C-alpha cells in the first residue's frame, strides 16, 4: 500500500488535479441532470383480496404499468425506497365492479409523492366479477400423439388413471366444461408398453384448477403379425322354397393381429354373409359379400373374393325329380 508521503506527492501531480476537476464536474453535472423532469414507467403488482366463498369469473391482470413524470431525484428516491410496488384491491360484495383509470389513479397516488405526476395507466380499466365457486367431476380426454413402431399395435385401449378429475372454479365457467384434455402425449417409434405421468392442459382462466392436475397413462404395446384364415360364407335372405349354392363356399381372410391373440383367433370370430335379398336373380349373376363381424383385436383386414357366383334351385322341383328317380 502507498504511504502518506506517496499519496501527498501524487495529489500534487497534474494527473491528480485533472482527476479531481473531472470528479467535481461530474458531480455538478449529475446534480443538474437529476433536477430535470423525466418520464418513466413504474410497474405495480396487483393483489386481489376476496371473501373465502368468492372467486373471480374473469382472470384479472396481475400487474399494471404506470407512466409517470418526475424529477430525477424523485424517481431515484422512489427506486431506492421500494423495489416492488403492490396495489391491494379489496372486494367485499357480489356485484361486478369496474375500476377505471380515475379509481386506479387515486389508489396509486397514495403510494407516490405529490411531486410524481401520473400520465397514463395501462390497462386503463379492470373488470372484477366475483361469484360463487363450484366443483364437479369431469372425464379426461387423452391428446394421443403416440407413433407406433412398424409392426406394433396397441394391445388394448390406452387407460388414464384416474379417468376423471375434479374441476374447481367460478360456477359460470365450471358449468360449461363437459370434459378436459391432457397435454399432447408425443413419442415416436413406440415398441413397448408405456406407463408415464401426463399433465392436464392448463385452463386459460387462472381461477380454474383441476384435482389432480396430472394422471397416469398406461399403454399396452405389442408386436403384430399376419394371420390367414378360411371362413365359411353365411347365406341370408333365401326363400324357403329355394336352395342356394355358392361358388366358392369360403373366403380367405388376411389380417394383422397381436402376438398374444394369434393362437386364440379362429374362423368363428368372423362373419361374412351373402345376402340373396339384395340382388335380382334375373340381373345379377353374382352376390357381393359383406363383412358383418370381426374381433376388435385385428386390423388391416382383407378378404378374397369380394363376390361369389351362385346356383339357385327350387326345392319343389328337386323333390319331384327325386320322386321320379325312386
Amino acid at each position: 500500500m502507498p504511504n502518506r508521503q506517496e499519496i501527498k506527492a501524487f495529489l500534487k501531480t497534474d494527473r491528480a488535479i485533472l482527476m479531481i476537476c473531472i470528479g467535481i464536474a461530474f458531480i455538478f453535472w449529475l446534480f443538474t441532470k437529476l433536477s430535470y423532469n423525466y418520464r418513466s414507467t413504474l410497474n405495480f403488482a396487483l393483489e386481489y383480496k376476496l371473501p373465502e366463498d368468492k372467486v373471480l369469473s374473469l382472470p384479472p391482470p396481475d400487474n399494471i404499468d404506470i407512466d409517470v413524470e418526475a424529477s430525477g431525484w424523485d424517481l431515484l428516491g422512489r427506486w431506492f425506497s421500494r423495489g416492488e410496488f403492490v396495489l391491494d384491491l379489496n372486494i367485499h360484495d357480489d356485484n361486478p365492479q369496474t375500476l377505471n383509470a380515475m379509481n386506479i389513479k387515486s389508489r396509486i397516488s397514495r403510494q407516490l409523492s405529490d411531486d410524481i405526476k401520473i400520465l397514463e395507466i395501462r390497462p386503463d380499466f379492470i373488470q372484477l366479477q366475483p361469484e360463487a365457486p363450484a366443483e364437479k367431476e369431469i372425464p379426461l380426454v387423452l391428446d394421443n400423439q403416440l407413433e407406433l413402431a412398424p409392426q406394433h399395435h396397441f394391445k388394448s385401449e390406452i387407460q388414464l388413471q384416474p379417468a376423471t378429475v375434479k374441476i374447481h372454479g367460478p360456477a359460470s365457467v365450471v358449468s360449461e366444461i363437459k370434459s378436459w384434455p391432457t397435454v399432447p402425449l408425443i413419442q415416436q417409434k413406440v415398441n413397448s408398453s408405456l406407463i408415464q405421468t401426463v399433465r392436464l392442459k392448463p385452463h386459460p382462466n387462472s381461477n380454474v384448477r383441476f384435482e389432480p392436475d396430472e394422471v397416469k397413462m398406461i399403454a399396452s404395446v405389442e408386436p403384430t403379425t399376419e394371420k390367414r384364415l378360411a371362413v365359411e360364407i353365411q347365406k341370408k335372405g333365401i326363400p324357403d322354397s329355394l336352395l342356394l349354392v355358392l361358388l366358392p363356399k369360403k373366403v380367405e381372410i388376411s389380417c394383422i393381429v397381436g402376438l398374444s391373440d394369434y393362437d386364440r383367433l379362429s374362423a368363428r370370430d368372423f362373419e361374412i354373409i351373402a345376402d340373396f335379398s339384395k340382388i335380382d336373380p334375373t340381373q345379377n349373376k353374382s352376390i357381393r359379400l359383406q363383412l358383418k363381424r370381426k374381433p376388435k383385436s385385428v386390423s388391416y383386414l382383407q378378404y378374397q373374393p369380394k363376390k361369389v357366383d351362385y346356383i339357385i334351385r327350387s326345392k319343389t322341383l328337386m323333390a319331384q325329380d327325386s320322386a321320379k328317380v325312386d
Side-chain angles (χ1 to χ4, degrees), residues 198-209:
V198 182
R199 295 191 64 83
L200 274 60
K201 184 179 179 180
H203 195 281
N205 188 333
S206 58
N207 294 320
V208 175
R209 61 183 179 87

Side-chain angles (χ1 to χ4, degrees), residues 80-272:
F80 278 112
S81 65
R82 190 175 184 182
E84 183 181 14
F85 313 134
V86 178
L87 186 61
D88 293 333
L89 300 176
N90 292 297
I91 305 168
H92 302 291
D93 52 43
D94 299 347
N95 298 323
Q97 303 177 32
T98 299
L99 296 177
N100 55 34
M102 292 300 295
N103 299 133
I104 300 172
K105 181 177 180 180
S106 63
R107 294 167 182 255
I108 293 174
S109 298
R110 302 168 192 168
Q111 299 191 41
L112 302 176
S113 69
D114 296 336
D115 296 326
I116 298 179
K117 181 181 178 182
I118 297 176
L119 302 176
E120 185 179 356
I121 299 174
R122 298 184 303 274
D124 55 1
F125 70 93
I126 300 174
Q127 285 188 322
L128 303 173
Q129 189 168 342
E131 63 175 86
E135 69 174 48
K136 69 177 181 180
E137 197 165 283
I138 57 171
L140 295 177
V141 178
L142 177 66
D143 187 352
N144 177 20
Q145 298 185 29
L146 293 176
E147 180 184 314
L148 293 174
Q151 298 181 341
H152 286 76
H153 79 157
F154 291 112
K155 185 178 178 181
S156 58
E157 291 186 2
I158 299 177
Q159 299 180 20
L160 294 177
Q161 294 182 354
T164 61
V165 296
K166 282 187 177 180
I167 178 173
H168 306 264
S172 61
V173 178
V174 170
S175 63
E176 297 295 324
I177 299 176
K178 308 303 179 186
S179 62
W180 197 253
T182 66
V183 298
L185 184 62
I186 303 173
Q187 195 166 333
Q188 296 180 340
K189 297 183 179 180
V190 178
N191 59 7
S192 61
S193 296
L194 298 174
I195 299 178
Q196 65 185 64
T197 299
V198 182
R199 295 191 64 83
L200 274 60
K201 184 179 179 180
H203 195 281
N205 188 333
S206 58
N207 294 320
V208 175
R209 61 183 179 87
F210 300 95
E211 183 185 353
D213 60 0
E214 60 182 25
V215 295
K216 182 187 294 185
M217 183 281 302
I218 302 175
S220 297
V221 178
E222 67 172 351
T224 60
T225 188
E226 184 184 28
K227 185 162 187 175
R228 295 177 180 270
L229 296 164
V231 178
E232 186 172 352
I233 303 169
Q234 304 298 315
K235 292 172 280 190
K236 181 181 178 183
I238 307 169
D240 294 337
S241 60
L242 297 178
L243 177 66
L244 179 67
V245 179
L246 300 177
L247 301 171
K249 297 180 179 181
K250 293 184 177 182
V251 298
E252 184 179 84
I253 285 182
S254 173
C255 62
I256 301 299
V257 62
L259 293 181
S260 62
D261 293 312
Y262 185 87
D263 292 333
R264 291 195 293 265
L265 191 66
S266 69
R268 295 188 300 271
D269 297 319
F270 301 87
E271 183 181 8
I272 292 183

